[in-house]
Amino acid sequence: MVISLGVMPVLSGRAASDPKVVADLVGTVEELGCESIWVVEHVVVPDAYESVYPYHPSGKMGLAPDDHVPDPLHWLTFAAAHSRTIRLGTAMLILPEHNPVHLAKRLATVDVLSGGRLIAGVGVGWLKEEYDAVGVPFADRGRRADEYLAAMRALWTQRPASFTGSYVSFTGVHCEPRPVRPDGVPIVVGGHSRAALRRAARLGNGLFPLGISLSEWPRLVERLHRECELVGRDPAEVELTAPAPSTRSAARALADLGVTRFVMRVRLDALAAVRDDVNRYRDEVLA
């Protein structure tokens, strides 16, 4: 079983914006041979919200209003400067909350400065109150996400680039620097809905489902393959990432379904625990 291992820091308190803590964590996980490090995005965290967080029975996310949630691309630029090989992933950029032309430039810049190590994980989010705060309609977020991905691909691959859509249009423009890869920054779509599977098959390089059980994975992979076939695409071109399972049998089952990367949660400010957890996971689950 050949599985890449990524890590995702658990954001709590102020540690995520402490430069020494972040530099030490990035150096440690790279030294441990981890393939990637992933960070979340929330522009704002409301003091109170009615939106239902879909990944916990309580309907509430673990972030508290006073937990630090740095901008993921700035955080990853800092991480890139303190590393040489580890890949840098967002999980997930809330795509419709961004201007896609501006975001294409930011992603390409981080990708070039990091030597092509960026992975752009994107999703549509769930927190309506956050959309309200940034002034973006919540209801059409899926349509916006699809159009924004297509527009960014145009900026990365055309010279000059032109695009006409319902939300964004431009004609004969140049957006430099361009990402290291000819087809642009790798896009990993977050989610497991039918829309997310369709988005990954048509516009993505990977899929990172969250909040589904092991028993739901076979059906999800089957649906993804069907979406790929509808657009004439080889399903093997869509890389599968999963939250790190806790047992060797579950890891084997996911690998047999085509998953090639596990992402495990680690504490930001406990490097000894990070070392122990990563090494134990390799010995007990991935061995």
Side-chain angles (χ1 to χ4, degrees):
M1 178 170 57
V2 180
I3 296 288
S4 299
L5 183 61
V7 298
M8 182 184 296
V10 176
L11 303 185
S12 178
R14 300 172 179 268
S17 56
D18 183 312
K20 185 179 187 309
V21 169
V22 174
D24 287 348
L25 174 71
V26 171
T28 296
V29 297
E30 182 169 67
E31 179 188 330
L32 289 167
C34 295
E35 179 255 1
S36 52
I37 189 164
W38 300 73
V39 289
V40 305
E41 176 177 52
H42 278 293
V43 179
V44 295
V45 177
D47 194 42
Y49 52 90
E50 295 183 2
S51 300
V52 177
Y53 180 62
Y55 306 121
H56 193 274
S58 70
K60 301 297 180 182
M61 60 180 168
L63 286 172
D66 57 349
D67 286 334
H68 284 208
V69 190
D71 177 274
L73 292 183
H74 291 160
W75 197 97
L76 291 173
T77 302
F78 182 86
H82 288 82
S83 60
R84 296 179 59 190
T85 60
I86 197 164
R87 300 187 71 187
L88 311 161
T90 58
M92 301 289 170
L93 285 175
I94 307 171
L95 182 57
E97 294 183 357
H98 294 269
N99 178 298
V101 179
H102 188 201
L103 183 59
K105 167 77 78 167
R106 294 172 64 206
L107 290 168
T109 301
V110 178
D111 189 58
V112 169
L113 291 177
S114 67
R117 290 188 277 149
L118 185 63
I119 307 170
V122 301
V124 299
W126 57 275
L127 187 55
K128 181 180 182 298
E129 290 83 355
E130 183 175 12
Y131 273 81
D132 293 342
V134 299
V136 175
F138 184 72
D140 63 355
R141 64 196 187 281
R143 292 189 297 274
R144 283 182 183 272
D146 290 343
E147 186 171 304
Y148 287 7
L149 286 175
M152 291 195 299
R153 289 283 191 202
L155 289 166
W156 291 336
T157 59
Q158 299 177 15
R159 261 193 187 92
S162 298
F163 184 86
T164 301
S166 300
Y167 305 104
V168 57
S169 297
F170 46 82
T171 302
V173 300
H174 297 265
C175 189
E176 303 289 345
R178 291 169 182 259
V180 171
R181 294 168 180 79
D183 61 343
V185 177
I187 299 293
V188 172
V189 175
H192 57 272
S193 67
R194 182 178 180 183
L197 297 178
R198 186 183 303 117
R199 190 170 297 126
R202 288 160 174 74
L203 300 166
N205 303 95
L207 180 71
F208 190 168
L210 299 172
I212 65 171
S213 66
L214 179 61
S215 64
E216 294 174 286
W217 266 91
R219 175 61 175 157
L220 179 138
V221 171
E222 178 185 337
R223 289 161 55 205
L224 175 64
H225 287 189
R226 187 179 305 123
E227 293 292 343
C228 288
E229 291 165 1
L230 288 174
V231 294
R233 189 175 186 190
D234 182 355
E237 296 176 4
V238 182
E239 181 182 55
L240 293 175
T241 300
S246 59
T247 66
R248 188 176 300 184
S249 60
R252 170 60 66 186
L254 288 170
D256 289 344
L257 288 169
V259 175
T260 58
R261 177 189 295 116
F262 295 153
V263 177
M264 64 182 296
R265 293 296 194 101
V266 298
R267 287 184 56 185
L268 268 163
D269 55 352
L271 295 186
V274 171
R275 290 181 183 278
D276 289 345
D277 290 347
V278 169
N279 288 328
R280 184 182 305 109
Y281 191 81
R282 284 194 172 121
D283 291 341
E284 296 180 1
V285 178
L286 296 184

